[in-house]
Amino acid sequence: PFSSQYKHGAAPGPPLSSFARNMAPAKKIQKKKVVKKFAIDCSQPVDDGIMDAASFEKFLLDKIKVNGKVGNLADLVTVSREKAKVIVSAETDFSKRYLKYLSKKYLKKQQLRDWLHVIANKKDSYELRYYNIHDNEADEDED
């Protein structure tokens, strides 16, 4: 009497939509405000006078995108500076990798990319360091 699509002649259960009607309503979960805080330490190049932390801070303020729009920081993202350290705090989704991308873009614009690179020194911070050229020169002298 049943069609061949059901194994052992068992009829299917009730449709899923009736289960959904009988379930308790889902509770809304309130999200905590998660503030992500990243720091970029520019102390080496600033101490040598080849870079200005204030211009880097302004560059970040001008270039950071929020929801796909530049200059849309509102209260979600703040950029501040403590001496030679630039601090970016975000209350929205914000990746550390994006900060590295912007830092490299700034270095390229200032023509410092040949001397400096962006290194992660902690889980939530980057550091601008000089390339280690000293080791290469010592190796060349030995040959």
Side-chain angles (χ1 to χ4, degrees):
F2 295 107
S3 66
S4 63
Q5 71 184 32
Y6 304 114
K7 291 183 180 178
H8 308 292
L16 291 176
S17 59
S18 67
F19 282 126
R21 281 189 226 124
N22 295 334
M23 287 176 61
K27 293 180 182 176
K28 288 189 177 182
I29 300 170
Q30 287 186 346
K31 284 188 175 180
K32 289 185 276 181
K33 269 192 178 178
V34 178
V35 178
K36 293 182 178 181
K37 199 170 185 182
F38 301 108
I40 304 172
D41 185 11
C42 315
S43 55
Q44 285 184 357
V46 169
D47 290 345
D48 291 343
I50 64 165
M51 189 182 130
D52 183 25
S55 69
F56 182 46
E57 179 187 14
K58 185 182 181 319
F59 177 84
L60 290 176
L61 280 169
D62 294 343
K63 296 288 182 176
I64 288 177
K65 286 184 178 182
V66 178
N67 296 330
K69 294 178 184 165
V70 175
N72 190 20
L73 298 180
D75 295 330
L76 296 175
V77 178
T78 57
V79 180
S80 59
R81 183 171 43 100
E82 295 174 7
K83 295 183 182 175
K85 200 175 243 189
V86 178
I87 295 158
V88 179
S89 308
E91 293 178 17
T92 182
D93 289 338
F94 196 83
S95 72
K96 185 180 168 192
R97 189 78 182 88
Y98 180 55
L99 211 54
K100 183 174 185 177
Y101 161 76
L102 288 174
S103 302
K104 288 165 75 172
K105 193 170 182 170
Y106 174 78
L107 291 175
K108 184 72 175 173
K109 185 180 175 191
Q110 301 294 322
Q111 297 174 343
L112 297 171
R113 191 84 175 83
D114 296 334
W115 293 281
L116 295 170
H117 58 159
V118 186
I119 301 284
N121 58 350
K122 294 180 192 156
K123 189 174 191 281
D124 60 349
S125 72
Y126 282 116
E127 182 179 5
L128 298 182
R129 284 194 200 161
Y130 290 101
Y131 286 108
N132 286 337
I133 306 170
H134 311 297
D135 298 335
N136 296 343
E137 289 174 0
D139 292 340
E140 290 172 7
D141 293 341
E142 292 171 7
D143 291 337

